[in-house]
């Protein structure tokens, strides 16, 4: 069994002139070395090789499709658009990798990746056909197909499907976490709305500048109903509600009452709006 030295420290007592202190003692021990995990080594090498082949495929497809599109547009725009053909199915593979523990979620990016790959292969083949080299176009298109098949094999090996009950548990946990995340934005929206309401109410709240006559009926109200008694500072909205609750319905009388108990500068339109709501 192979071993390797491991440097460690420990506290030990050390006495000088009769006084003992705990000091660090450095020492070395031999620890066993686990055997090399060849399966992991091979899988890492295969994944790295697949990544290199993806780079080669992108270069080849970009050159072919870019030359094809350059027939009808400027070269920089053509080659920039050509990158999208292979980048589409590569991004789909990345999403499929992220969903390797959930086959249901991985199904959509897998299908989309196959579709994007087919379009890229058709474009590469069309370039060869238009260039008078149909065989080279077919072989060039096959390069992307081979790399995609290789990555499908690698992804299937990395995938760790869950059993049905565990998958249901994971789905419920995701739903719960997603609900909590959604409530963050909803609570922020509700807080903002409540703040706007509070600011509006605060803007309409003005201290009264005079005490109304609480002793008898309003001679100009057209009604024998006495003016309501004041119970403290009022807003325009509260004053309108108090007047209507006391039987005052005439708009002019309500406006005079609001000017008396709430805001002497209250606009008739504002009072009329609150009166309609009341």
């Amino acid at each position: 069994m192979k071993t390797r030295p491991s440097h460690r420290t420990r506290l030990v007592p050390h006495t000088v002139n009769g006084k003992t202190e705990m000091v660090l003692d450095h020492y070395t021990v031999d620890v066993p070395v686990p055997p090399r995990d060849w399966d992991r080594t091979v899988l890492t090498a295969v994944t790295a090789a697949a990544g290199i082949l993806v780079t080669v495929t992108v270069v080849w497809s970009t050159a072919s499709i870019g030359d094809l599109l350059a027939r009808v547009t400027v070269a920089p725009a053509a080659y920039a658009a050509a990158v999208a053909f292979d980048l589409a199915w590569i991004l789909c593979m990345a999403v499929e990798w992220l969903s390797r523990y959930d086959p249901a979620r991985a199904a959509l990016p897998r299908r989309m990746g196959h579709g994007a790959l087919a379009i890229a292969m058709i474009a590469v083949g069309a370039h060869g056909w238009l260039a008078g080299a149909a065989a080279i176009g077919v072989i060039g298109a096959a390069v992307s197909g081979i790399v995609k098949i290789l990555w499908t094999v690698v992804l299937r090996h990395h995938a760790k499907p869950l059993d049905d009950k565990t998958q249901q548990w994971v789905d419920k946990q995701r739903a719960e976490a997603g609900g909590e995340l959604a409530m963050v934005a909803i609570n922020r929206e509700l807080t903002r709305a409540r703040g706007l309401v509070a600011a509006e109410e605060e803007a309409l709240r003005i201290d009264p500048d005079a005490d109304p006559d609480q002793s008898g009926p309003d001679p100009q109200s057209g009604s024998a109903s006495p003016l309501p008694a004041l119970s403290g500072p009022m807003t325009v909205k509260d004053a309108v509600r108090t007047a209507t609750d006391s039987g005052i319905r005439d708009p002019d009388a309500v406006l005079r009452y609001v000017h008396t108990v709430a805001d002497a500068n209250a606009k008739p339109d504002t009072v009329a709006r609150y009166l309609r709501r009341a």
Side-chain angles (χ1 to χ4, degrees), residues 25 32 50 98 127 144 153 155 157 259 267:
D25 178 37
L98 296 176
H127 174 259
S144 298
V153 173
L155 288 177
H157 190 82
H259 286 167
K267 296 181 179 179

Side-chain angles (χ1 to χ4, degrees), residues 23-213:
V23 297
L24 289 176
D25 178 37
H26 299 273
Y27 65 102
T28 303
V29 297
D30 292 330
V31 296
V33 178
R36 181 181 294 275
D37 186 355
W38 288 106
D39 291 344
R40 174 56 57 180
T41 301
V42 172
L43 181 59
T44 302
V46 170
T47 304
I52 295 174
L53 289 179
V54 166
T55 304
V56 174
T57 301
V58 170
V59 174
W60 171 262
S61 297
T62 301
S64 298
I65 301 175
D67 186 62
L68 175 65
L69 299 179
R71 297 169 181 261
V72 294
T73 186
V74 295
Y79 284 94
V83 176
F85 283 81
D86 273 344
L87 190 61
W89 62 267
I90 292 173
L91 293 179
C92 288
M93 284 197 313
V95 177
E96 183 181 354
W97 164 270
L98 296 176
S99 304
R100 62 189 180 276
Y101 301 111
D102 191 344
R105 298 180 67 183
L108 178 60
R110 184 183 303 115
R111 291 195 299 268
M112 296 296 294
H114 290 160
L117 173 65
I119 295 174
M121 293 176 66
I122 292 173
V124 174
H127 174 259
W129 180 69
L130 292 176
I136 296 178
V138 172
I139 295 174
V143 173
S144 298
I146 293 173
V147 174
K148 181 66 171 70
I149 293 174
L150 175 61
W151 263 108
T152 300
V153 173
V154 173
L155 288 177
R156 285 184 180 275
H157 190 82
H158 280 284
K160 301 295 185 293
L162 305 176
D163 62 88
D164 182 63
K165 292 183 179 179
T166 303
Q167 188 64 60
Q168 293 183 43
W169 183 88
V170 171
D171 292 340
K172 290 184 178 180
Q173 293 296 312
R174 283 175 175 164
E176 181 179 352
E180 293 175 357
L181 183 61
M183 287 305 300
V184 172
I186 294 175
N187 288 333
R188 186 185 299 116
E189 179 183 355
L190 294 177
T191 300
R192 187 186 308 112
R194 293 191 182 103
L196 293 175
V197 173
E200 179 70 16
E201 292 180 347
E202 183 66 24
L204 295 175
R205 185 177 296 113
I206 302 176
D207 293 334
D209 56 0
D211 292 330
D213 182 6

Side-chain angles (χ1 to χ4, degrees), residues 1-8 28-36:
M1 181 178 61
K2 294 182 178 181
T3 61
R4 60 178 177 83
S6 177
H7 302 284
R8 301 179 181 180
T28 303
V29 297
D30 292 330
V31 296
V33 178
R36 181 181 294 275

